[in-house]
Amino acid sequence: MDLSGAVFLSLGWLMLQLADGELNYVSQGRGMQLQGDFIIAGLFPLHYTDGPSADMPALDPCNKGRNNKHGFHLLQAMRFAVEEINNSPRPQSLLPGVKLGYQLYDICSVQASILVTLDLLRQHHNTSTPATEGDTDTHYNNSERAVAVIGPDSSSKSFTPASLLGAFLIPQISYEASNEQLSNKYLYPAFLRTIPSDKNQVAAMIQLLVRFNWTWIALLGSDNDYGLDGMQSLSKQASKYGICIVYQGVIPTFRNDTIQTMRNMVESILKTKVNTIVLFSSKSKLSGFFPFVIERNVTEKVWIGTEDWSVATLISAIPGIHTIGTVLGMSIKYASISGFQEFERKVVEASMKHNNTWEVSNDIDCLQGTDLYTLARNNFSMENYDITSSFNVYKAVYAVAHALHQELSCDSGHCQRRSVYPWQLLPMLKKVRFSLDNTSVYFDMNGDPPTGYDIVTWVWRGKDWSVRVVGSFNPDPIELTIDADQIEWHTSGASRSLPLSICSPPCPKGHKKLLTGQHTCCFDCQECPAATFLNISDPITCQPCLPEQWTPSSSEQCLNRTVLLLAWDDPLCIALLFFLAACLLMTSSTALIFLLNLNTPVAKSAGGRTCLLMLAALTAAAMSSLCHFGQPSPLACLVKYPLFIFSFTVCLACITVRSLQVVCIFKFASKLPPAYDKWAKKHGPEFTIFLVSVIMLLISVVRVAINPPQPSQDLDFYEDSIVLECSNTLSPGSTLEIAYVSLLSILCFSFSYMGKDLPANYNEAKCVTFSLMVYMISWISFFTLYLISRGPFTIAAQVFAILFSVLAFLGGYFLPKIYIIVLKPQMNTTAHFQNCIQMYTMSK
């Protein structure tokens, strides 16, 4: 025997000496034992006890406590499963030729479960038999020691047995221990269960709270491993779903010294003003707490319960419990056992025929001293809760049987007759997969079943209590389905509407939360300003939109900005293109007429060949408008402004020089210095036009070279639109260009105005003044519009200003000449011009 075995045997001997009696494994306890080829130990709570004294680590005899009808049904489920397997017809027999036996124990407390575990270990160490993997013994007898353990019924009673049995790889299958820590295979390598882990139960509770938007809750747990670990797990998960736990409390065992503690807990719940309370508690602890809730007249609350108490009559039978409000809880999915109720009925009938005289040992056994016949005579009622939990026991027994079926190679119709060690059975047990009454039974890598829960609610008809299934929860994948219409909300008012349990009402769309305390559920709401939006993943920060996006205030998403440009297919663009074509047709026609009549007096008086240069410049100015259509390109941005400004400069320079010449000839001929004659005869006018134009060209080239315009997006002018334009539209260089053209325009107007009294054939004052006025008004109107607006209409206004300026000079300066050339040829003669000059001279 190894050292660990000696230690456990010593502990077992000590506890057995402190107990009321010694165990009898053969005949003591009617119905508690059944001989067989393979023994399964069953641990069931057949009685309620008040617990051991604090002075001694001993326990009171379990059979002196109050009867536990639920535990009785669980035990009978194991007996039924074993009898069913043993008595199956040969062809369908799971273990042909093999008989299962059992040893049943009454574990009314944690101490009792530890004592039973030590006793089971002592059975394995009574003789020099192998207890660890790899050892064998030809004299090993499975009929004298358990090959697997079914139970216990709670997490608190399971931790120590799971550790002790796991050290020797003795399989243990619990039917009601749901604590999440028991899934740790490093600590509990031989522990399995047929009830879902509390990990799934916590997930179901969280989903239920989220489903009804209960974010302001109180959380209570029983003072045991089941409640404390469940509270801790739920507390960690709650914050991830925006659930605030404003109060947490631990429900102690009911004693005289804990009465005030529980009353204070009820007062604390009322002070927090929560309407939803989650109770992660065992039914035994909770049964002592609810009377104080009823005493304080707590009503209209929502109580969310675990599978341990939500369908337990121990809780629903508390006087006045129907006044506490709405109860929603988890419940193991209902499954019935065919023939089980008939089996229990026959057990009751058999107990009635049996007498109470039976032989016992000198000391009454505290764990197997229960007479099942005496218990059966109580004829305990069976509820859905009992049936569901009994099915878990039923599955556990069949799981052991299926593992033995594989280990004994029973597929051939008969099983091998040999010994099976617990450590040999454990791997087979982890791999079992079978169906019972359309229910799939298997264990995952943590030894947990892949089952979910039913969501139930309490239904009261007066003081008659029943449970109604209103939904279900599946853990993989996580899915909660619930029919809220089936829930009877116990709230004030005729509507019986869904109770609220929140600290602050939800913010309107597009409003961020301003936290007002330590809890994230308490907040004020503030509107998100324009150009920001509220991301659902971050409800406390208004996030800015991308530069290409916009959004009005109180928004939850950004919108793409409207792109403003004068598209080629825009109706306004098409109209302007027709206008441009008309302008080009007129300038071309005028140029052709002047070219054909270049030597006539009218053409010569207008400037001769200079007119062709002016018309070419006006044509180029009109063509520059094409650069304003469509999406701006680098070439268009470089060309459009210099081309227009240079072309108009050439045109203005020609008119200015021509006006200067006419004024000098008619008004200052006798006063002009000789230099003027040289300037006039040595191509001075042409050179002047060239010089003025080149200066403007140099200004434009230097401006473009220093700060070249590029396609750009104006994101600031409109909050909901993007203006596509060329950069550096208004710059020091462009200001200098405008100033230069303005000075040239003033000179042109001045020289033209000085010749207002010249002969009609040389008097262009009115026409030039008209052209300049139209030109200036067009551009002043455009710049005014540009300062207050952007977009297709503004671009169209600029194109219109360009073409209108071209038409102004074409109509003001050239149209009168065309009129004479085409319609008044008698005025286009040398004699007519000389006559006009003589009349002007005579008038002077």
Side-chain angles (χ1 to χ4, degrees):
M1 183 182 299
D2 59 12
L3 179 60
S4 61
V7 171
F8 288 126
L9 283 178
S10 299
L11 290 172
W13 177 86
L14 174 60
M15 294 195 71
L16 289 173
Q17 297 304 314
L18 292 172
D20 283 349
E22 296 181 353
L23 297 176
N24 185 320
Y25 307 109
V26 180
S27 61
Q28 195 169 2
R30 298 187 176 182
M32 298 291 282
Q33 296 181 3
L34 178 69
Q35 295 298 323
D37 299 317
F38 292 93
I39 302 299
I40 304 174
L43 284 60
F44 301 98
L46 299 180
H47 295 89
Y48 295 109
T49 61
D50 296 329
S53 170
D55 298 329
M56 292 287 288
L59 69 156
D60 295 328
C62 288
N63 55 10
K64 292 182 180 180
R66 293 175 289 115
N67 293 334
N68 184 342
K69 76 177 188 69
H70 180 65
F72 174 79
H73 293 307
L74 298 176
L75 180 144
Q76 293 298 337
M78 179 168 175
R79 294 184 66 234
F80 173 73
V82 171
E83 294 290 345
E84 188 177 66
I85 293 170
N86 288 340
N87 297 309
S88 296
R90 185 80 181 191
Q92 292 85 25
S93 178
L94 188 60
L95 296 171
V98 174
K99 181 181 179 181
L100 292 181
Y102 52 72
Q103 288 181 351
L104 306 179
Y105 296 87
D106 183 3
I107 51 163
C108 55
S109 64
V110 174
Q111 289 77 12
S113 67
I114 296 175
L115 185 59
V116 169
T117 305
L118 292 173
D119 179 66
L120 292 172
L121 292 176
R122 189 173 69 168
Q123 294 177 31
H124 282 272
H125 289 80
N126 268 339
T127 59
S128 179
T129 55
T132 57
E133 184 175 353
D135 296 334
T136 59
D137 186 351
T138 57
H139 301 291
Y140 188 84
N141 189 351
N142 284 113
S143 64
E144 296 180 358
R145 50 191 59 81
V147 72
V149 179
I150 307 297
D153 65 305
S154 68
S155 300
S156 299
K157 297 176 184 177
S158 297
F159 281 111
T160 301
S163 297
L164 295 175
L165 296 173
F168 297 92
L169 299 180
I170 299 176
Q172 176 189 3
I173 307 177
S174 177
Y175 46 85
E176 283 186 344
S178 57
N179 191 287
E180 185 178 347
Q181 293 186 29
L182 291 168
S183 298
N184 188 332
K185 295 299 102 180
Y186 180 77
L187 297 176
Y188 312 105
F191 182 86
L192 302 97
R193 53 185 158 197
T194 53
I195 186 174
S197 166
D198 282 340
K199 176 182 178 181
N200 296 343
Q201 186 163 211
V202 168
M205 288 180 164
I206 291 291
Q207 292 300 315
L208 190 62
L209 293 171
V210 172
R211 167 65 175 79
F212 293 110
N213 195 31
W214 292 324
T215 58
W216 189 247
I217 68 169
L219 175 61
L220 305 181
S222 54
D223 190 12
N224 52 23
D225 294 319
Y226 176 76
L228 296 177
D229 290 342
M231 282 180 61
Q232 182 181 13
S233 179
L234 196 144
S235 298
K236 290 181 180 179
Q237 295 290 327
S239 59
K240 299 178 182 179
Y241 294 88
I243 299 170
C244 298
I245 302 174
V246 66
Y247 174 76
Q248 293 191 61
V250 178
I251 302 173
T253 302
F254 177 79
R255 296 189 305 269
N256 290 334
D257 59 340
T258 61
I259 290 176
Q260 190 57 45
T261 299
M262 288 191 276
R263 282 176 175 162
N264 293 339
M265 291 174 63
V266 176
E267 292 296 331
S268 298
I269 292 173
L270 293 176
K271 288 180 180 178
T272 59
K273 298 181 180 180
V274 298
N275 287 329
T276 301
I277 302 100
V278 177
L279 288 171
F280 214 107
S281 173
S282 60
K283 54 183 175 291
S284 58
K285 302 281 185 182
L286 192 60
S287 62
F289 173 73
F290 263 132
F292 298 100
V293 175
I294 299 167
E295 174 188 82
R296 188 60 178 81
N297 194 28
V298 178
T299 60
E300 300 184 8
K301 303 293 184 183
V302 176
W303 306 83
I304 298 179
T306 60
E307 45 76 28
D308 191 67
W309 71 264
S310 59
V311 292
T313 54
L314 181 65
I315 302 300
S316 63
I318 297 174
I321 193 71
H322 64 282
T323 64
I324 63 172
T326 306
V327 175
L328 290 172
M330 309 299 120
S331 173
I332 304 302
K333 287 183 176 294
Y334 178 78
S336 61
I337 307 174
S338 177
F340 180 48
Q341 292 181 337
E342 178 64 19
F343 174 81
E344 283 212 358
R345 186 183 63 80
K346 291 182 178 180
V347 169
V348 173
E349 292 176 355
S351 68
M352 296 301 181
K353 300 175 183 178
H354 210 280
N355 59 43
N356 290 331
T357 60
W358 48 288
E359 184 179 350
V360 296
S361 61
N362 293 331
D363 296 318
I364 297 176
D365 171 26
C366 65
L367 299 178
Q368 289 184 301
T370 300
D371 181 12
L372 294 185
Y373 294 120
T374 303
L375 277 178
R377 290 191 189 101
N378 291 289
N379 194 16
F380 297 120
S381 62
M382 184 180 294
E383 302 167 5
N384 287 346
Y385 173 57
D386 300 315
I387 296 175
T388 301
S389 297
S390 296
F391 188 68
N392 286 342
V393 177
Y394 186 71
K395 290 190 293 184
V397 175
Y398 264 89
V400 174
H402 275 272
L404 284 171
H405 177 90
Q406 294 298 324
E407 184 62 28
L408 297 175
S409 303
C410 300
D411 290 331
S412 61
H414 63 275
C415 300
Q416 297 179 5
R417 306 293 295 184
R418 64 180 180 85
S419 298
V420 176
Y421 298 104
W423 56 263
Q424 291 176 316
L425 187 66
L426 181 60
M428 296 294 111
L429 196 55
K430 292 180 178 180
K431 296 177 183 178
V432 297
R433 183 181 287 267
F434 58 95
S435 294
L436 280 179
D437 294 331
N438 297 321
T439 300
S440 180
V441 180
Y442 64 95
F443 304 100
D444 64 16
M445 61 183 297
N446 297 318
D448 299 327
T451 54
Y453 297 92
D454 285 333
I455 309 300
V456 299
T457 185
W458 285 9
V459 178
W460 293 96
R461 294 295 178 262
K463 292 187 178 180
D464 294 332
W465 172 80
S466 62
V467 172
R468 176 186 298 163
V469 176
V470 295
S472 63
F473 172 79
N474 292 315
D476 188 20
I478 291 178
E479 180 184 12
L480 174 72
T481 57
I482 193 164
D483 185 359
D485 294 335
Q486 294 294 317
I487 302 174
E488 297 180 5
W489 304 109
H490 295 273
T491 56
S492 59
S495 61
R496 301 283 181 174
S497 59
L498 171 69
L500 296 178
S501 191
I502 57 177
C503 180
S504 300
C507 288
K509 290 185 177 181
H511 287 66
K512 69 177 181 180
K513 298 178 180 178
L514 297 177
L515 301 183
T516 57
Q518 62 176 339
H519 294 289
T520 58
C521 300
C522 301
F523 49 82
D524 293 329
C525 299
Q526 185 181 63
E527 182 183 60
C528 284
T532 64
F533 73 103
L534 186 70
N535 195 327
I536 298 177
S537 62
D538 185 11
I540 62 174
T541 304
C542 295
Q543 300 184 13
C545 294
L546 296 174
E548 296 79 15
Q549 296 178 323
W550 80 287
T551 183
S553 58
S554 304
S555 296
E556 291 185 322
Q557 63 179 359
C558 292
L559 306 173
N560 291 327
R561 293 195 187 195
T562 303
V563 178
L564 300 180
L565 74 160
L566 189 59
W568 288 98
D569 56 352
D570 190 283
L572 187 58
C573 176
I574 296 174
L576 290 173
L577 288 174
F578 277 110
F579 190 18
L580 170 62
C583 289
L584 294 177
L585 180 61
M586 285 188 284
T587 54
S588 301
S589 302
T590 302
L592 180 62
I593 292 173
F594 263 78
L595 183 62
L596 295 176
N597 298 276
L598 191 60
N599 295 319
T600 61
V602 171
K604 291 181 178 179
S605 67
R609 297 182 182 276
T610 306
C611 291
L612 298 178
L613 178 61
M614 292 172 59
L615 290 170
L618 290 176
T619 302
M623 292 294 292
S624 70
S625 63
L626 290 174
C627 298
H628 295 271
F629 299 124
Q631 188 168 341
S633 64
L635 179 61
C637 289
L638 287 174
V639 170
K640 62 180 179 180
Y641 292 115
L643 178 60
F644 172 76
I645 204 80
F646 174 72
S647 301
F648 249 82
T649 299
V650 171
C651 183
L652 287 173
C654 292
I655 296 176
T656 303
V657 170
R658 193 262 174 187
S659 299
L660 175 62
Q661 285 182 290
V662 171
V663 170
C664 289
I665 292 172
F666 282 95
K667 289 196 172 185
F668 306 107
S670 59
K671 303 176 182 179
L672 291 174
Y676 173 79
D677 291 335
K678 293 182 179 180
W679 175 80
K681 294 178 180 179
K682 299 294 184 179
H683 304 288
E686 291 82 357
F687 179 76
T688 302
I689 294 172
F690 175 77
L691 181 61
V692 171
S693 302
V694 167
I695 292 174
M696 173 56 73
L697 181 62
L698 290 175
I699 293 174
S700 298
V701 170
V702 170
R703 177 180 74 86
V704 170
I706 294 176
N707 198 2
Q710 295 291 332
S712 66
Q713 297 179 343
D714 188 346
L715 304 175
D716 300 325
F717 198 87
Y718 295 114
E719 63 177 14
D720 61 343
S721 302
I722 299 175
V723 180
L724 297 184
E725 59 181 11
C726 296
S727 61
N728 305 319
T729 301
L730 298 177
S731 63
S734 61
T735 304
L736 182 60
E737 289 175 337
I738 293 173
Y740 188 84
V741 172
S742 299
L743 177 61
L744 191 60
S745 299
I746 293 172
L747 289 176
C748 180
F749 175 75
S750 300
F751 291 143
S752 298
Y753 186 78
M754 290 174 63
K756 66 182 184 297
D757 55 348
L758 295 180
N761 291 330
Y762 297 91
N763 186 357
E764 284 104 11
K766 293 181 181 180
C767 294
V768 172
T769 301
F770 170 78
S771 300
L772 290 173
M773 290 298 295
V774 171
Y775 163 75
M776 292 181 181
I777 291 173
S778 299
W779 285 101
I780 291 174
S781 300
F782 162 71
F783 282 117
T784 302
L785 180 62
Y786 183 80
L787 293 175
I788 62 174
S789 177
R790 298 285 196 279
F793 186 77
T794 305
I795 299 173
Q798 185 173 9
V799 173
F800 186 81
I802 292 172
L803 299 180
F804 217 64
S805 300
V806 171
L807 287 180
F809 280 94
L810 187 65
Y813 188 82
F814 290 99
L815 187 58
K817 277 73 174 175
I818 296 298
Y819 175 77
I820 294 175
I821 293 174
V822 176
L823 299 178
K824 299 287 185 177
Q826 65 275 14
M827 298 176 63
N828 189 15
T829 60
T830 303
H832 178 74
F833 270 73
Q834 289 178 350
N835 183 44
C836 290
I837 294 173
Q838 289 178 357
M839 292 178 62
Y840 171 77
T841 304
M842 292 175 62
S843 64
K844 294 295 182 179

